[in-house]
């Protein structure tokens, strides 16, 4: 890793190194009081066992740990600690935790919590994360709280609701001959398909969502929960080294055309975009997504500003129009269309969605009042009769999956994603890329070959469908549901962006939007960042590369493991360009020798030390890629 994390993450703060716990073939990483990456003989069994306390907006507390003690032996490890959370009103919750792991495959995590005063929460208890790679659609055995046992399967396509409720235990196959049973005690658990939010996991959590929330934990009333994991079979195996071999990449079949690249523009961004027009033209996005929301004061001035920008940079334009639905739909949307015409704004498309649909409707909640979407789309079609009409959700796939829109009236479907809904650590953000193919496959299963757009999707959250507001982040921390994220300014975001584009490439998107132009979601730096104010952030260069690939035929790349993301395209003239990204915090060696005969041209690697241009023959030998480095071949 580079010596300066600021260039990678946009912050000097570095996440604490996990403590690797091991007992024979069993291993787990201890991080901030919880267990991550639980493996047996090198195979991931569970993604996490974590004791989580959430506030009324679903924000996650960071407990203060004390009295931490860790002991490791060849056949056993144990951890003990105490912790506490403090609410915004000064209320406090304390808990005692004990973790024990054994070489015979047994693991337990026990917590007793004691509110020192009445404590308000949306959730307090364990979350267990099962990985999705290799498990999606596979058989599991579920034991319910009434003792019944059901042999079923994990969802392959993303389940909009909870696939399993009233759970006491779940058993899955780790690999042939090895199974893992997870037993949950102390409360009622249920599972949700976290791929809805682009989390790379199935999450089993405490307290059914059908129960009221937020709720109060009474002062002085202890609560004990225990998670027990039992892995059976393969007892003679030992832990295997992870990530020792080079990542091999090889070209595969030629696929669909790669999508246009969009850039989201807000009214407050227009003057900065006009003032940096040479950089906007250098970036070259094929599409501008113009956000318009009358509920937040947008009106003719915003549309006139957009008209000036569209005249100066004549890309394709789509108006992302939030519909207030406060009265007559025809009057509202024809009023917007009239202002568009008066402003002289040329549009190629309009996407509409009711304002209320930006808020989530969780299981057990009442759906808010909203006109039928058929009426909303009909009014939009009458107001904008001569341009393409899109719909879906301006929030996330979750909402689109739960409220499936009448796509027959639409020319395209759209939704966004955000990787920091539930967790904001570096590993979770990068792991979210694993969920993207399941999101696109699930969307295709619902809407078929309907033209499909994704975005704006950025690391930071532009709106919070699950609480009152996004979280302010003035100190540039790694915070779930934050409205700005320091990593967007660093090389981390560049690697994540390549990873995102690579994962959704088979979906035959017509547009992908992964950034704005200025501000917290933008490609230009502000004060106090790795790049000088007004200069391109690292994400600028990879978006420029994605723009250049638009319309090229995707080449499906075979990659030996997921430490490296690869996106490749062939131009109409036959030239091949390959982008690759190290999506881990470790140095990785890449074996790209299989490309030596096809991807002619130089090799450029961007890492914490800057850009390194290598000779065309460099692909014949090993390519060293530091943490979150990105590279281009050809």
């Amino acid at each position: 890793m580079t010596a300066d994390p600021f260039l990678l993450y946009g912050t000097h703060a570095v996440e604490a190194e996990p403590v690797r716990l091991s007992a024979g073939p069993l291993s787990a990483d201890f991080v901030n009081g919880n267990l991550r990456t639980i493996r047996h003989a090198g195979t991931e069994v569970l993604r996490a066992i974590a004791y989580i306390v959430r506030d009324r907006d679903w924000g996650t507390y960071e407990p203060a740990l004390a009295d931490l003690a860790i002991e490791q032996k060849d056949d056993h490890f144990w951890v003990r600690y105490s912790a506490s959370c403090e609410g915004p009103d000064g209320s406090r919750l304390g808990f005692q935790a004990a973790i024990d792991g054994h070489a015979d495959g047994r693991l337990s995590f026990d917590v007793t919590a004691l509110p020192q005063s009445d404590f308000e929460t949306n959730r307090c208890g364990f979350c267990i994360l099962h990985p999705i790679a290799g498990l999606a659609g596979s058989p599991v055995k579920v034991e319910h709280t009434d003792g019944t046992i059901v042999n079923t399967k994990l969802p392959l396509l993303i389940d909009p609701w909870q696939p399993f409720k009233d759970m006491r235990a779940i058993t899955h196959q780790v690999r042939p001959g090895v199974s893992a049973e997870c037993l949950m005690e102390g409360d009622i658990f249920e599972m949700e398909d976290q791929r809805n939010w682009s989390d790379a996991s199935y999450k089993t959590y405490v307290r059914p969502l059908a129960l009221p929330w937020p709720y109060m934990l009474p002062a002085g009333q202890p609560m004990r929960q225990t998670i027990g994991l039992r892995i059976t079979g393969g007892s003679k195996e030992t832990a295997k080294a992870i990530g020792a071999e080079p990542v091999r990449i090889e070209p595969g079949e030629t696929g669909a055309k790669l999508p246009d690249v969009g850039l989201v523009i807000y009214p407050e961004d227009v003057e900065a975009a006009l003032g940096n027009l040479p950089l906007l033209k250098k970036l070259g996005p094929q599409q501008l997504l113009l956000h318009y929301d009358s509920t937040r004061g947008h009106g003719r001035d915003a549309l006139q500003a957009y008209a000036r920008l569209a005249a100066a940079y004549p890309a394709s334009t789509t108006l992302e129009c939030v519909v207030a639905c406060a009265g007559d739909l025809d009057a509202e949307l024809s009023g917007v269309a009239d202002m568009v015409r008066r402003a002289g704004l040329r549009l190629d498309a309009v996407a509409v969605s009711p304002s209320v649909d930006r808020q989530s409707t969780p299981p057990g909640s009442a759906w808010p009042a909203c006109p039928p979407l058929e009426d909303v789309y009909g009014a939009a079609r009458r107001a904008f009769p001569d341009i393409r009409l899109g719909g879906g959700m301006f929030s996330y796939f979750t909402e689109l999956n739960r409220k499936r829109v009448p796509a027959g009236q639409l020319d395209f479907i759209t939704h966004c994603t955000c990787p920091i809904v539930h967790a904001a650590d570096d590993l979770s953000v990068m792991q979210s890329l694993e969920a993207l193919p399941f999101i696109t496959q699930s969307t295709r299963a619902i809407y078929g070959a309907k033209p499909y757009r994704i975005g704006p999707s950025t690391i930071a959250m532009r709106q919070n469908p699950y609480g009152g507001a996004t979280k302010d982040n003035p100190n540039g921390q790694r915070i779930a549901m934050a409205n700005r994220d320091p990593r967007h300014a660093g090389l981390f975001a560049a690697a994540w962006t390549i990873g995102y584009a690579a994962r959704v490439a088979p979906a035959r998107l017509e547009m992908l939007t992964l950034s704005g132009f200025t501000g917290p979601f933008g490609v230009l730096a502000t004060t106090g960042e790795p790049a000088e104010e007004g200069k391109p952030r690292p994400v600028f260069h990879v978006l420029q590369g994605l723009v250049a690939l638009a319309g090229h035929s995707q080449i499906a790349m075979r990659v030996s493991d997921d430490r490296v993301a690869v996106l490749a395209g062939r131009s109409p003239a036959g030239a091949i360009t390959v982008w690759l990204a190290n999506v881990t915090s470790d140095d990785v060696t890449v074996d790209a020798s299989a490309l030596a005969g096809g991807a002619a041209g130089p090799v450029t690697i961007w890492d914490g030390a800057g850009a390194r241009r290598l000779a065309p023959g460099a692909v014949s030998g090993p390519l060293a890629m530091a943490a979150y480095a990105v590279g281009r071949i050809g």
Side-chain angles (χ1 to χ4, degrees), residues 158-161 192-199 201 396-399 401-402 416-417 435 439 466:
I158 301 174
D159 197 317
W161 310 106
E192 67 186 8
D193 195 336
Q194 277 208 131
R195 297 174 299 171
N196 275 294
W197 297 272
S198 76
D199 295 72
S201 59
Y396 307 126
F397 172 76
T398 317
E399 287 66 54
N401 200 17
R402 290 176 173 175
C416 309
T417 69
I439 288 176
Y466 316 109

Side-chain angles (χ1 to χ4, degrees), residues 329-330 333-335 337-338 341 378-386:
L329 290 170
D330 280 303
L333 285 160
S334 64
D338 183 61
R341 287 187 288 270
R381 182 70 76 184
R382 290 188 290 273
F384 296 94
D386 301 320

Side-chain angles (χ1 to χ4, degrees), residues 360-598:
S360 178
T361 303
S365 303
W367 288 89
C370 182
L373 291 178
E374 291 85 352
D375 294 350
V376 175
Y377 298 157
R381 182 70 76 184
R382 290 188 290 273
F384 296 94
D386 301 320
I387 62 175
R388 298 180 73 217
L389 175 65
M393 292 292 164
F394 296 164
S395 51
Y396 307 126
F397 172 76
T398 317
E399 287 66 54
L400 182 65
N401 200 17
R402 290 176 173 175
K403 186 176 182 179
R404 301 184 177 184
V405 303
Q409 296 176 258
L410 301 174
D411 296 308
F412 60 89
I413 290 290
T414 185
H415 69 80
C416 309
T417 69
C418 177
I420 60 168
V421 173
H422 294 114
D425 61 278
D426 298 337
L427 179 60
S428 293
V429 172
M430 282 302 184
Q431 285 179 335
S432 70
L433 300 173
E434 297 176 23
L436 296 175
F438 293 101
I439 288 176
T440 56
Q441 291 162 18
S442 298
T443 302
R444 284 294 184 210
I446 300 168
Y447 299 107
K450 178 73 65 176
Y452 178 20
R453 300 180 176 189
I454 292 180
S457 297
T458 56
I459 296 175
M461 178 180 268
R462 69 169 185 157
Q463 62 180 13
N464 182 3
Y466 316 109
T470 55
K471 301 289 184 182
D472 290 330
N473 190 13
N475 298 320
Q477 299 173 288
R478 295 167 173 86
I479 299 175
M481 299 187 178
N483 53 20
R484 60 181 61 234
D485 192 288
R487 291 165 293 193
H488 188 78
L491 198 60
F492 184 99
W496 181 82
T497 298
I498 291 296
Y500 198 113
R503 290 285 190 167
V504 301
R508 300 176 181 267
L509 300 179
E510 68 171 30
M511 183 168 81
L512 176 63
T513 303
L514 295 176
S515 190
F517 189 62
T518 60
F521 310 115
V523 296
L524 300 186
T526 58
T527 56
E529 294 187 6
E532 180 184 345
E533 183 176 5
K535 299 295 184 182
R537 292 166 167 160
V539 71
F540 181 101
H541 304 292
V542 299
L543 281 172
Q544 191 179 36
L546 297 183
V547 167
L549 285 176
H552 290 199
S553 298
Q554 182 217 359
I555 301 173
M557 303 298 290
R558 293 188 290 270
V559 186
S560 62
D561 70 51
D562 57 9
R563 289 176 288 160
V564 172
V566 185
L567 177 69
R570 178 182 282 109
S571 73
I576 296 175
T577 303
V578 179
W579 280 87
L580 56 160
N582 176 3
V583 295
T584 77
S585 60
D586 299 315
D587 295 347
V588 171
T589 300
V590 175
D591 177 0
S593 57
L595 304 178

Side-chain angles (χ1 to χ4, degrees), residues 60-335:
T60 304
Y61 286 101
E62 288 288 342
L65 270 61
D67 306 320
L68 175 62
I70 300 175
E71 181 177 291
Q72 297 210 58
K73 297 181 180 180
D74 290 343
D75 62 351
H76 176 230
F77 61 77
W78 62 259
V79 179
R80 303 288 186 270
Y81 67 87
S82 59
S84 63
C85 301
E86 183 171 346
D89 57 355
S91 58
R92 295 182 64 84
L93 173 73
F95 53 90
Q96 301 288 326
I99 299 170
D100 289 273
H102 302 267
D104 62 4
R106 290 177 296 125
L107 175 69
S108 68
F109 195 157
D110 180 273
V111 171
T112 298
L114 183 65
Q116 291 150 23
S117 55
D118 288 352
F119 191 89
E120 184 183 57
T121 183
N122 274 2
R123 174 171 297 152
C124 179
F126 278 110
C127 291
I128 303 101
L129 306 184
H130 282 75
I132 57 176
L135 280 187
S138 67
V140 292
K141 181 173 68 176
V142 177
E143 180 181 347
H144 294 286
T145 54
D146 63 2
T148 59
I149 295 175
V150 178
N151 290 305
T152 181
K153 291 183 178 181
L154 289 166
L156 181 58
L157 298 176
I158 301 174
D159 197 317
W161 310 106
Q162 302 98 318
F164 310 130
K165 296 182 178 181
D166 298 323
M167 298 172 65
R168 183 174 183 268
I170 180 170
T171 303
H172 75 277
Q173 180 178 275
V174 176
R175 58 187 176 278
V178 180
S179 64
E181 179 193 51
C182 186
L183 177 66
M184 299 150 282
E185 299 178 290
D187 210 319
I188 298 175
F189 289 76
E190 63 187 21
M191 177 184 283
E192 67 186 8
D193 195 336
Q194 277 208 131
R195 297 174 299 171
N196 275 294
W197 297 272
S198 76
D199 295 72
S201 59
Y202 301 98
K203 180 173 73 177
T204 303
Y205 55 90
V206 76
R207 188 173 168 95
L209 284 174
L211 296 176
W213 47 267
Y215 59 98
M216 197 69 69
L217 302 177
Q221 183 172 314
M223 303 175 299
R224 182 180 180 185
Q225 296 174 20
T226 305
I227 304 300
L229 178 66
R230 186 167 62 97
I231 303 169
T232 55
S235 58
K236 295 182 180 180
E237 299 175 272
T238 57
K240 298 177 182 178
I242 304 298
E245 297 295 320
V247 177
R248 298 182 307 279
I249 59 175
E250 301 174 350
E253 299 298 318
T254 299
K257 300 292 185 184
L258 291 169
D260 283 356
V261 173
L263 204 66
V264 63
I265 302 289
Y266 295 89
E268 58 269 25
D269 298 332
V270 171
E271 293 306 321
L274 290 170
N276 290 278
L277 202 56
L279 280 174
L280 178 58
K281 292 180 177 179
K282 184 178 179 180
L283 181 65
Q286 287 89 7
Q287 306 245 11
L288 296 180
L289 181 62
L290 310 173
H291 183 73
Y292 181 86
D293 184 357
S294 64
T295 70
R296 298 181 180 175
H298 299 168
R300 180 186 285 187
D301 289 348
L303 297 171
Q304 289 174 333
Y306 288 149
R308 295 198 306 275
L309 179 60
Y313 181 74
S316 295
T317 54
T318 297
L319 190 70
E320 185 186 52
C321 182
V322 176
V323 185
C325 298
D328 183 86
L329 290 170
D330 280 303
E332 178 182 355
L333 285 160
S334 64

